[in-house]
Amino acid sequence: MLLASLRTHTRRYVAAALAVVIGVAFIVVTNALASATRNGLVSGIELPYEGADTVVSDVSGEEAATLLADARTSGDKAAVLGWAILPVSEGSRLVDGQVDVGAVADDPSLRWQEVREGRLPDGPGEAVADANAAKSEDVAVGDRLRVGSGALAEDVTVVGLVDSPSASVRASLYLSWSDLEPWASSLYVDSVAYDGTPDVSAMTGVKVQPRDEFVDDRSTELSQGVNVLAYVLLIFAAVALFVSVLVIANTFSILFAQRSRDFALLRCVGATRRQVLRSVRVEALLLGLASSALGLLAGFAAGHGLVALARALAPRAALGDVTLSWRWLVGAFVMGLVVTLVASWLPTRRVVSVSPLAALRPDQSVDVGSAAGRLRLALGAVLLLGGVAAMALAVSGSVVALMLAGGAATFTGVLLLGPVLVPALIRLAGRPAGRLLGSAGRLATGNAVRNPRRTAATTASLLIGVTLTTAVLTGLASSRSAVDDDMATQHPLDVTLTAVKGGLPASLLGDVRGTDGVARAVAVEGVTATLGRGVGELTVLATPDGAASVSHDDDAVDPGPGEILLPYDVAPDRPRVDVTVGGRSRTLRVITGEGWGGAGVVAPATLAALASTTETRAVWVRADDGADAEDLTGDLTALATPLEAEVGSGLEQRAYVDLQLDILTGAVVALLGVAVLIALIGIGNTLGLSVLERGRENALLRALGLTRRQLRRMLAAEAVLLSVVATVLGTTIGVVFAWVAVETMVRPTIDTAPFVLPWGQLAIVVLVAGAAGLLACLLPARRASRVAPAAGLSMD
């Protein structure tokens, strides 16, 4: 009976197997995207620990030295990530009195610095310099440097220049550990990367963590206590599981509803309920096993392919490598198998629970007016209302888990109400279609609403894709706009060069403007002033005429008359402060902020009232779009250091945030590709099954005079109607979900975050969804039109 069923219903089983493959593959692809996103976001943090399996933190320099000695004794590998602040000189020239000096790991597997020129040290007496620090300190490969002073001083040769991608443990000069160890007592240790089992039994207050846990904690710290990465992975996982279950369940619901007459005939010819159920369960088990295995393979290939596609479409996204988790793989396989068994068991159980003659009746669907239909609608209404209430609570309390649960409940409620909601919308959309296409349009509308459950199931896949796409695009546009506005306020200037004492030479402005990556630069006049309330001496600048041309926020450095802008770390706790220059003094209202260097800023008229003469005290810089933040800052630092000017780089801060957003954007691009594929295959799958179910009906229409072209037009109109309804409904739900997500996840961090509707992108979604529905019907429509009326009327 099993083999006969497989031979008879090959097409239908291919459709069901395709649904399982898609569901399983979607979870695997989600894991691939999530892992690439995580690896990209934490690459700079994780890089120094790639060769380790454990990270030891909260240790002193002496304890770090003990750990390294123990590692050498036990055959483990370890590297100290930290630095000592030491004087460095070259012959009689003092390079700098305070240089961050770190260590290069002895074991190559724990070395994380990237060589730009030369090589890494082979042993004691050799060093490498950070490439950008070398620019400012005029250090080159081959230079002989003395590190430290007195009896502990070490002479080293610079053998290479390196890039230090991990800003949290970056140093300006790196020695071998044996050369740095004499300063262990004055060493600031961020952490120790350890490959093995560290012995910390004799140490108090030391923290030992698995590498991934430490990296996640560090990522949370850098994200101001909000583990954005965890939220992204949670959302991806929830979406993958939810979509996969719906796609598989919808397909099997249609498949076994079509086979209800077959089951009834088997019962009539002597098969028992147990035999029918056993046959179906064995079919489902074999189908689930084979399809889930294929889904794993398809997901593996698609995951790597989509990550590569996202990198190509968004080169700045910097997605990391794909690292599939065995937990995700096992979970995807089990999900495919279990959902297949459950999806096949429920409708079959319902069929065999009634008498064979009752099962042979033409209509076995659940009528919305029946008891089962009323129960479905009641459950849908409860889930919809409960989900809306949960999302409202999530917005008020900023609870992400409650937002996800409420969104899933709301969307499930909409799907359960689909047999009522979708046909009503199709009737509304079908009126203009009937006038435009004539009889084909009217027939398409009638066919689409005749079986409400089938119609709702057919639109479910596209509805999921459109909802997901709309929500993500809207949420991303709103989040990016909010982050850009916030970063412009916090870091209005790309780079600032501020004099520590005295003025800056007039030639500096020309040198800055001639630096690669500089778009505009303005000189800023100022004086040294004495501020009361315990502030002391501070450089006070006057807002230059060209401030608007170099600032990302016109209001950020635009104090009014009688006001002074002060950095947060020097501003007094009183609203007013006395400012004195020479014998002149003014009481100014204090406004706090950041992003224009370690100086105060006043209006030009205010500075003129305080000082009769001023001099150039700062240069404010606006960078070219796409300028490398690290290189530009290094080049300008090289100009500022000989003049004893401090360099502040808001560009580096914005670049880090932009990199995170670009990585998330790359992941979203790939995720949307999966969503479109799911929608296309899902609607094509259900439309194909629907065409098979209506074979006799289509043949009768052909016999009554409907031409092949009219039949194809009717099926195309039906597909477009389904697509339009799914698109409109999905867009509406997606926009609401995006608003809830912005209010829950973005507003608590950025209270002025706007809600942005990307109209152009949403219009593309509508067009793509309509095209997807039309494309999905091509193969079923072609197959239906090629069947001769006589052959179609003889179908079961």
Side-chain angles (χ1 to χ4, degrees):
M1 186 165 65
L2 172 61
L3 294 177
S5 178
L6 289 173
R7 286 194 301 268
T8 305
H9 303 292
T10 301
R11 283 185 183 178
R12 296 176 180 178
Y13 276 107
V14 168
L18 186 59
V20 180
V21 169
I22 292 171
V24 173
F26 190 30
I27 294 179
V28 178
V29 168
T30 301
N31 179 218
L33 294 176
S35 66
T37 304
R38 178 192 181 280
N39 292 337
L41 286 173
V42 304
S43 59
I45 303 171
E46 189 177 35
L47 187 62
Y49 310 97
E50 282 187 346
D53 53 20
T54 304
V55 179
V56 185
S57 55
D58 297 338
V59 295
S60 65
E62 292 90 342
E63 289 170 332
T66 301
L67 285 172
L68 261 67
D70 292 343
R72 285 194 293 266
T73 301
S74 60
D76 293 337
K77 304 172 185 177
V80 175
L81 300 168
W83 56 89
I85 300 176
L86 302 170
V88 176
S89 58
E90 181 187 12
S92 60
R93 178 177 76 94
L94 178 65
V95 174
D96 197 326
Q98 293 185 319
V99 175
D100 295 337
V101 182
V104 175
D106 293 335
D107 192 279
S109 65
L110 293 176
R111 293 182 171 184
W112 57 277
Q113 296 87 352
E114 298 175 356
V115 178
R116 283 195 177 183
E117 181 181 344
R119 58 177 176 82
L120 291 173
D122 289 332
E126 295 183 339
V128 290
D130 179 82
N132 285 299
K135 292 178 185 178
S136 60
E137 304 295 354
D138 193 21
V139 172
V141 174
D143 287 353
R144 186 74 174 169
L145 304 178
R146 168 157 285 198
V147 180
S149 59
L152 295 180
E154 294 277 357
D155 291 323
V156 296
T157 301
V158 178
V159 297
L161 301 180
V162 298
D163 187 19
S164 308
S166 184
S168 60
V169 292
R170 178 188 301 164
S172 298
L173 188 69
Y174 299 94
L175 314 180
S176 63
W177 173 247
S178 59
D179 286 337
L180 187 62
E181 189 174 9
W183 290 283
S185 60
S186 60
L187 191 68
Y188 171 78
V189 179
D190 176 86
S191 53
V192 175
Y194 202 100
D195 187 22
T197 305
D199 181 9
V200 296
S201 56
M203 304 175 187
T204 57
V206 174
K207 191 174 185 180
V208 180
Q209 294 176 277
R211 180 191 62 188
D212 290 345
E213 180 182 321
F214 175 85
V215 171
D216 286 342
D217 288 349
R218 180 60 58 86
S219 176
T220 302
E221 291 175 10
L222 295 178
S223 301
Q224 299 179 343
V226 180
N227 195 339
V228 177
L229 182 59
Y231 291 155
V232 170
L233 298 183
L234 182 61
I235 292 173
F236 277 15
V239 167
L241 182 62
F242 191 63
V243 170
S244 300
V245 170
L246 284 178
V247 168
I248 297 172
N250 281 339
T251 302
F252 271 89
S253 177
I254 294 176
L255 174 64
F256 284 98
Q258 294 171 343
R259 293 186 58 194
S260 60
R261 289 176 59 85
D262 298 340
F263 297 145
L265 286 172
L266 289 174
R267 295 281 311 286
C268 287
V269 297
T272 64
R273 293 180 180 178
R274 180 173 296 181
Q275 288 175 323
V276 173
L277 287 175
R278 185 187 301 121
S279 173
V280 171
R281 288 169 184 171
V282 172
E283 291 176 17
L285 178 62
L286 295 177
L287 185 67
L289 289 172
S291 302
S292 297
L294 287 175
L296 293 180
L297 295 175
F300 180 85
H304 284 79
L306 285 172
V307 169
L309 177 62
R311 287 172 177 162
L313 296 178
R316 292 186 61 202
L319 290 176
D321 295 331
V322 175
T323 52
L324 296 176
S325 167
W326 67 267
R327 293 183 179 86
W328 280 69
L329 296 177
V330 172
F333 186 87
V334 171
M335 186 282 304
L337 182 59
V338 170
V339 174
T340 300
L341 292 173
V342 173
S344 63
W345 181 79
L346 289 176
T348 311
R349 185 81 178 180
R350 184 168 56 246
V351 171
V352 298
S353 64
V354 298
S355 65
L357 292 178
L360 285 171
R361 293 172 184 170
D363 184 16
Q364 287 295 318
S365 63
V366 176
D367 184 4
V368 294
S370 66
R374 288 194 297 271
L375 178 61
R376 176 191 177 111
L377 295 180
L379 181 60
V382 169
L383 285 174
L384 180 60
L385 294 176
V388 171
M391 289 192 294
L393 292 174
V395 170
S396 61
S398 302
V399 183
V400 177
L402 193 59
M403 177 196 75
L404 294 175
T410 301
F411 196 76
T412 304
V414 170
L415 292 177
L416 290 176
L417 293 173
V420 172
L421 184 60
V422 173
L425 293 175
I426 287 178
R427 289 189 184 95
L428 184 63
R431 292 173 183 172
R435 288 192 292 268
L436 183 64
L437 300 177
S439 59
R442 290 190 293 273
L443 284 171
T445 304
N447 285 335
V449 301
R450 184 170 37 182
N451 191 321
R453 286 191 64 195
R454 183 182 64 202
T455 300
T458 304
T459 57
S461 296
L462 191 57
L463 178 62
I464 294 167
V466 172
T467 301
L468 175 64
T469 304
T470 302
V472 170
L473 288 177
T474 305
L476 189 62
S478 301
S479 301
R480 186 133 208 170
S481 176
V483 170
D484 287 345
D485 291 345
D486 189 62
M487 293 303 292
T489 301
Q490 292 185 17
H491 306 283
L493 303 174
D494 287 334
V495 185
T496 60
L497 291 76
T498 308
V500 176
K501 57 180 74 172
L504 296 174
S507 60
L508 177 62
L509 181 62
D511 293 339
V512 170
R513 287 175 173 172
T515 302
D516 289 340
V518 172
R520 289 179 294 277
V522 295
V524 188
E525 296 295 304
V527 296
T528 299
T530 302
L531 279 67
R533 306 290 185 187
V535 177
E537 283 195 351
L538 186 73
T539 297
V540 175
L541 307 173
T543 308
D545 292 337
S549 68
V550 294
S551 175
H552 293 275
D553 185 352
D554 294 341
D555 299 328
V557 284
D558 188 22
E563 296 178 340
I564 183 170
L565 280 166
L566 291 177
Y568 289 114
D569 55 349
V570 301
D573 56 1
R574 300 294 180 87
R576 294 185 178 275
V577 66
D578 294 330
V579 181
T580 303
V581 179
R584 302 179 185 180
S585 182
R586 293 287 186 276
T587 300
L588 304 178
R589 188 165 67 90
V590 175
I591 301 173
T592 57
E594 59 181 331
W596 52 84
V601 182
V602 297
T606 303
L607 187 63
L610 285 167
S612 56
T613 60
T614 60
E615 57 187 345
T616 300
R617 286 297 188 92
V619 174
W620 290 352
V621 178
R622 177 72 174 262
D624 284 324
D625 293 338
D628 185 272
E630 188 176 346
D631 286 345
L632 178 58
T633 303
D635 290 340
L636 294 179
T637 301
L639 295 176
T641 300
L643 305 175
E644 296 186 1
E646 293 180 345
V647 177
S649 179
L651 183 63
E652 286 189 316
Q653 300 295 325
R654 284 200 304 274
Y656 175 75
V657 174
D658 285 343
L659 176 63
Q660 288 189 317
L661 292 175
D662 287 338
I663 290 172
L664 290 176
T665 301
V668 166
V669 168
L671 184 63
L672 295 185
V674 177
V676 171
L677 182 64
I678 287 284
L680 183 61
I681 297 178
I683 198 170
N685 209 7
T686 48
L687 274 176
L689 290 172
S690 178
V691 168
L692 284 175
E693 184 184 31
R694 297 190 341 231
R696 288 171 58 86
E697 176 184 315
N698 292 334
L700 181 59
L701 289 173
R702 290 286 315 283
L704 292 175
L706 200 68
T707 65
R708 290 184 176 181
R709 177 176 296 180
Q710 288 175 322
L711 178 61
R712 288 194 295 266
R713 186 182 302 169
M714 180 192 74
L715 293 174
E718 183 179 351
V720 171
L721 281 174
L722 295 174
S723 301
V724 168
V725 167
T727 301
V728 171
L729 188 58
T731 301
T732 303
I733 297 172
V735 168
V736 173
F737 282 179
W739 178 83
V740 171
V742 169
E743 294 292 323
T744 304
M745 300 175 64
V746 181
R747 282 283 172 85
T749 304
I750 306 174
D751 56 2
T752 59
F755 181 67
V756 179
L757 285 175
W759 293 107
Q761 294 175 340
L762 295 182
I764 293 175
V765 170
V766 172
L767 294 176
V768 169
L774 186 60
L775 183 63
C777 81
L778 292 181
L779 187 59
R782 183 171 178 271
R783 184 185 302 128
S785 64
R786 294 178 64 183
V787 177
L793 289 171
S794 65
M795 291 181 178
D796 284 333

